[in-house]
Amino acid sequence: MLHGKKILLIVSGGIAAYKSLDLIRRLREHGAVISCVLTEAACKFITPLSITSLSGQKAYSDLFSLTDENEMGHIELSRQSDLILVAPATANILAKMASGICDDLATTVLMATNKPVMVAPSMNVRMWKHMAMISNTKKLRDRGIVFVGPETGDMACGEYGPGRMTEPLELVGAIYKHFDSNNPLEGKKALVTSGPTHEPIDPVRYISNRSSGKQGHAIAAALNQFGAETVLVTGPTNEPDPPGVKVKRVESAREMLDACRESLPVDIAVCAAAVTDWCPSEPCEQKIKKNGKAPAVQLTKNPDILRELAKDCNNRPHLVIGFAAETGDVVKKAIPKLEDKGCDWILANDVSRGTKTFGGDQNTIYFINGDLVEAWPEMTKINVGNLLAERIAKQFKEELKNG
Ligand code: CTP
C-alpha cells in the first residue's frame, strides 16, 4: 500500500528511539523506501549501523560531513521524500521546529523541506503538559504539521500519562491514512455489531456481560472515517454514537440478529458485540416477586449472529470479521472459531480478569487471517479500529489489483 513511497525518518534522542528500528521494518514491509537522519542524541540510543542494516540505506547525521553533502546535499534530502516523519519527536526537536532553529542536520532538513511533516511525540508526561510544549504544539499544528500521539500509558521514567510514542504498527496506519486520505473504503458498505446484549428474565432483570461497546464503536468510527457507509447495531452501552454512522439500538441477541439482517447487503461485517450466549427460555411478563423460593431460570442458546452472517448463502458480506474473547491460550482457542463460524478474519483478545480489556481504553489483539497470526502490540481501541480499517482497505485494494 505504501509501495514506492519515499519516507524520510528523522530519529531524535529519546528512549523510544529503539522503536524506530521496528518502524523501519514495518514500513519496508508495506513497500515504503526509508531514508534516515539521526540527531546526535539519537545516536546515544541506537546506532547508524543498525538503522542502515534495517533500512538498506545510508543513515545521515552530520550536517557538515563533506562526503554526505557530496552524495546527497541536505536540501536534496529534505525534498526527495513524499513524507518526513519525526519519530520519536522529543520536546527538544519540537521546540526547535516551532522556533525555526536549525543547528543540526535533522532540524535543517525540517526547515528546508517543502514536503508534509508528521511527528510522533515522545516525552515525559509533565513535559508534554508544560505550557511551552502546549504553545509549541499549537504553533506546529497551525503550520500543518501532523501529530500522531502521544499515547497514554506507563512511562520509562515510572510516571503515567500521555507521552508514550505511538507504536510502530499504529504509525504505519496513520501514514497509510495520510497517503490515502481520499477515503479508501468509499463506495463500500459496512455493518458492525457492538456492546453487550440484555436478555430479559422479567421486565426488570436481565442477563448480560461486561462489554462496554468501546471497541465496536471505535471500529464503526474508523470504517466511517475511511469512507465506508457504516451501520452500527449496538446493544445497550454508554458510548456516544460515532459521528456519521447510522446507529441501530437493540436490547437482545434476537433483536440484534434482526437488525443485522435488515442492514444487508453489505461488503464488510465486523462482529464485535459480546452477544449474551443464552437467554431465559420463558421471560416472565410480570416482575418475579421474591417472596417465594428463588426461581430456576431455564436458558436457551441465542442465535450466533456472526455465524448467521458468515454462512448466509444469499447475502454473505464479502469480508466477515469476528472477535474471539478468550481467557488464556488465546490464539489456540481462537483459531477453530474461524472455521466454526465461517468468518474470514478473527481478532482475538484476552479478557481474563486483570487484563483491563472490558471497559478499558486499551486492547491487545492477535490478528488471525488463515495461517497468519499477527500479535498487535497493546494499543488504544481507537487505534485497533484504525488499524483494522487499514487492513480492510488493503484487502479490497489487493483484490482489485488481482482482478
Ligand atoms: N458472536 C455472535 N453471536 C453470538 C455469540 C458470539 O455474533 N451469539 C460473535 C461475537 O461477536 C464474536 C464471535 O462471535 O465476533 C466470538 O464470540 P466469543 O464470545 O469469543 O465466542 P462464542 O461464540 O460466544 O463462544 P465461547 O463463548 O464458547 O468462546
Side-chain angles (χ1 to χ4, degrees), residues 35-360:
S35 319
C36 286
V37 168
L38 283 89
T39 63
E40 199 183 332
C43 296
K44 308 262 185 223
F45 292 91
I46 49 170
T47 65
L49 184 61
S50 47
I51 290 274
T52 303
S53 326
L54 282 165
S55 66
Q57 310 269 348
K58 178 168 179 165
Y60 298 90
S61 59
D62 187 358
L63 179 60
F64 301 109
S65 158
L66 243 172
T67 342
D68 291 359
E69 275 300 305
N70 270 335
E71 278 172 18
M72 162 93 74
H74 64 268
I75 300 294
E76 199 184 333
L77 199 55
S78 74
R79 305 281 165 85
Q80 58 146 24
S81 320
D82 300 302
L83 172 73
I84 298 189
L85 169 65
V86 189
T90 58
N92 187 46
I93 200 164
L94 291 171
K96 285 187 191 175
M97 285 167 72
S99 315
I101 294 172
C102 27
D103 60 353
D104 62 4
L105 181 61
T107 45
T108 308
V109 164
L110 284 162
M111 258 307 250
T113 192
N114 56 357
K115 293 292 157 41
V117 177
M118 185 181 272
V119 296
S122 165
M123 67 196 72
N124 169 272
V125 51
R126 286 189 194 282
M127 292 168 83
W128 176 248
K129 289 184 171 174
H130 195 281
M131 286 301 291
M133 191 67 235
I134 292 170
S135 115
N136 288 340
T137 307
K138 182 171 180 324
K139 266 192 214 166
L140 292 170
R141 282 193 212 271
D142 288 349
R143 275 182 225 155
I145 307 278
V146 178
F147 277 68
V148 184
E151 310 298 330
T152 298
D154 292 321
M155 324 231 82
C157 54
E159 290 185 50
Y160 180 89
R164 285 172 63 94
M165 180 175 128
T166 299
E167 290 299 326
L169 255 178
E170 295 173 67
L171 275 171
V172 173
I175 293 167
Y176 174 88
K177 235 180 136 184
H178 164 83
F179 284 120
D180 240 329
S181 51
N182 53 340
N183 298 336
L185 289 175
E186 181 113 56
K188 300 280 179 239
K189 286 187 176 174
L191 165 67
V192 180
T193 69
S194 183
T197 60
H198 286 183
E199 309 299 333
I201 298 172
D202 67 15
V204 197
R205 306 168 180 103
Y206 58 82
I207 306 175
S208 188
N209 57 58
R210 293 167 180 272
S211 170
S212 65
K214 281 186 179 165
Q215 186 58 84
H217 280 57
I219 291 169
L223 289 170
N224 174 63
Q225 277 164 20
F226 271 61
E229 188 186 324
T230 307
V231 176
L232 173 68
V233 179
T234 177
T237 75
N238 291 323
E239 285 300 294
D241 290 354
V245 170
K246 180 170 182 195
V247 180
K248 295 185 178 177
R249 273 181 214 82
V250 297
E251 293 266 327
S252 66
R254 257 278 139 218
E255 289 170 13
M256 187 172 271
L257 177 61
D258 291 344
C260 286
R261 282 196 174 134
E262 279 162 19
S263 310
L264 297 176
V266 294
D267 303 284
I268 307 146
V270 184
C271 290
V275 183
T276 308
D277 291 304
W278 302 279
C279 62
S281 313
E282 286 175 24
C284 273
E285 283 184 13
Q286 303 292 322
K287 182 185 168 197
I288 302 170
K289 302 305 275 179
K290 61 179 185 301
N291 46 13
K293 60 176 185 173
V297 181
Q298 181 71 36
L299 298 175
T300 308
K301 212 167 172 188
N302 262 330
D304 190 314
I305 296 162
L306 173 60
R307 189 187 284 121
E308 295 284 334
L309 293 175
K311 300 204 170 173
D312 184 327
C313 305
N314 301 319
N315 253 334
R316 186 191 194 274
H318 184 69
L319 191 59
V320 181
I321 303 164
F323 269 75
E326 308 295 349
T327 51
D329 279 338
V330 177
V331 174
K332 207 170 132 203
K333 288 181 188 163
I335 287 174
K337 284 187 181 170
L338 263 181
E339 197 174 327
D340 173 39
K341 309 237 179 189
C343 57
D344 302 297
W345 301 348
I346 285 248
L347 275 72
N349 59 352
D350 194 334
V351 291
S352 309
R353 264 176 174 277
T355 56
K356 295 186 252 163
T357 299
F358 274 122

